[in-house]
Amino acid sequence: MASLVHHLLPLSISSSVKIQFSRGIKVTRYGHLRQYIRKANTQLIKKSLPITSALAESDSPKSLEPNPQSLLQELADSFDLPPDYFTQLPRDLRLDLNDAAFDLSNGAVIVECGQDLGETLLNLSRAWELADTSTSSTLAKKLPLIERALSSNERSALGKRLVAAGRRFQSMGQYGQGELQRIAKSMISAGRLLSASSLSTAHEERPKTETRMFKFGELQVAVTPEKANIGAAIAVVFGVLSWAVSQGIQGIPESSMQYANDNALLLAKSLRGALLVLFYSSTFLSAFASVGLLLLARQIKSEEK
């Protein structure tokens, strides 16, 4: 009995050791398997994050909005017309083209749009008035490049001018292969987008004070209270001189006029009357201009405050 226990004891111990060892191997294997699964899930999540963020960015409203430069490039491409396209337009369409040129460059274009863009719009409108198709195409291709350096207010001014001019092109109706309508569609789309984008970023920039401009042909002069007061002073001086000259002419008695015949005397009297009317009118206009300039200076000063 003792020998049997002696022989069975090592067997039971060894078998228990083997069972524990095999269980340890299984536990270890299960632990490694769990760690491997966790690492794989972590890597899968990290790789899926850029994809989901990219999908979210692609689905965002900003990514769906067109780029202003792409629309301006589309506008420039729409002006890629035959060299004699504008010159062959009918007379009524040429008048509409002149109206579009006026809407594009009306007012203080350089002050509102900046030096580069303002000069480009002035040259473009002049090319439309002259029906110069090639120059119009060349100048339109500069708009996408200039747009990059524009401020929010300048983009807004450009957008409003493009929308106004685009409506003139839209009123021309169908002509040829629909080139004018493509120009109108591109111009209105780009103008609306520029106006909308400038409104969204208007709070980031300090609004510029509007400056009144006096435009006579190619001459543009900013109207300020100081210049208005100076103009009023010049008008007063000119009015005083006109009044003095008129009084001097009126002070000449008719009896002192001695001429060879009656025709010469009649001519002298008519000339005297014409000079009196001229200088009295100058006096009245000078007084009216001085009062108007003083009121304008006061109004501009109150608006600036």
Side-chain angles (χ1 to χ4, degrees):
M1 188 66 181
S3 61
L4 181 59
V5 173
H6 179 73
H7 286 291
L8 291 176
L9 184 59
L11 180 60
S12 62
I13 293 174
S14 61
S15 63
S16 63
V17 171
K18 289 179 181 180
I19 292 172
Q20 291 178 358
F21 182 72
S22 61
R23 288 180 179 176
I25 292 174
K26 291 181 180 180
V27 172
T28 305
R29 287 179 180 177
Y30 287 146
H32 286 299
L33 182 59
R34 290 177 181 175
Q35 292 179 358
Y36 178 77
I37 293 173
R38 289 177 181 175
K39 289 182 180 179
N41 290 334
T42 304
Q43 293 178 357
L44 182 61
I45 291 172
K46 289 182 179 179
K47 290 181 179 179
S48 63
L49 284 176
I51 298 174
T52 55
S53 62
L55 291 174
E57 290 178 359
S58 63
D59 293 336
S60 62
K62 292 183 178 180
S63 62
L64 297 176
E65 293 180 356
N67 188 4
Q69 292 186 4
S70 63
L71 291 180
L72 290 176
Q73 185 61 45
E74 182 180 351
L75 174 61
D77 295 337
S78 64
F79 277 98
D80 191 7
L81 302 170
D84 56 347
Y85 183 83
F86 286 155
T87 57
Q88 293 181 354
L89 291 176
R91 185 175 181 274
D92 55 342
L93 297 184
R94 286 285 300 273
L95 294 176
D96 292 335
L97 186 62
N98 292 337
D99 293 338
F102 177 79
D103 291 337
L104 187 67
S105 61
N106 184 28
V109 59
I110 295 180
V111 175
E112 295 178 359
C113 301
Q115 186 70 27
D116 294 338
L117 180 59
E119 291 180 355
T120 301
L121 295 180
L122 287 174
N123 294 330
L124 183 58
S125 63
R126 193 174 296 112
W128 290 353
E129 293 174 353
L130 299 176
D132 191 348
T133 310
S134 59
T135 304
S136 300
S137 178
T138 303
L139 293 172
K141 292 178 181 178
K142 296 173 61 177
L143 294 178
L145 302 177
I146 299 176
E147 190 270 339
R148 301 175 182 175
L150 296 180
S151 64
S152 176
N153 292 332
E154 291 170 350
R155 285 192 180 93
S156 177
L158 175 61
K160 293 177 182 178
R161 293 175 183 276
L162 288 178
V163 170
R167 288 173 179 169
R168 295 289 187 180
F169 277 93
Q170 192 176 26
S171 65
M172 295 181 187
Q174 290 292 337
Y175 178 79
Q177 301 298 324
E179 296 88 355
L180 298 176
Q181 293 304 310
R182 284 197 296 268
I183 294 175
K185 183 179 178 181
S186 302
M187 197 172 293
I188 293 175
S189 300
R192 288 176 177 174
L193 181 60
L194 287 170
S195 300
S197 62
S198 62
L199 289 176
S200 62
T201 58
H203 64 280
E204 298 178 359
E205 296 183 2
R206 184 178 179 181
K208 296 181 180 179
T209 57
E210 295 184 358
T211 304
R212 294 177 180 265
M213 296 294 295
F214 174 76
K215 184 177 180 182
F216 183 77
E218 297 182 356
L219 177 64
Q220 290 186 356
V221 179
V223 180
T224 60
E226 293 78 11
K227 292 182 180 180
N229 291 327
I230 293 173
I234 294 174
V236 169
V237 173
F238 187 77
V240 171
L241 292 177
S242 298
W243 176 260
V245 173
S246 63
Q247 292 300 311
I249 295 174
Q250 191 174 6
I252 299 175
E254 295 183 358
S255 59
S256 63
M257 299 180 182
Q258 296 179 1
Y259 295 94
N261 50 35
D262 295 337
N263 292 331
L265 181 62
L266 183 62
L267 181 62
K269 290 182 178 181
S270 61
L271 180 60
R272 177 176 178 271
L275 290 175
L276 286 175
V277 171
L278 176 63
F279 284 103
Y280 276 126
S281 300
S282 299
T283 304
F284 174 75
L285 291 177
S286 298
F288 181 77
S290 60
V291 173
L293 288 172
L294 288 175
L295 293 176
L296 179 61
R298 186 176 179 181
Q299 181 181 1
I300 295 174
K301 187 177 292 185
S302 63
E303 289 178 356
E304 290 180 353
K305 292 180 180 179

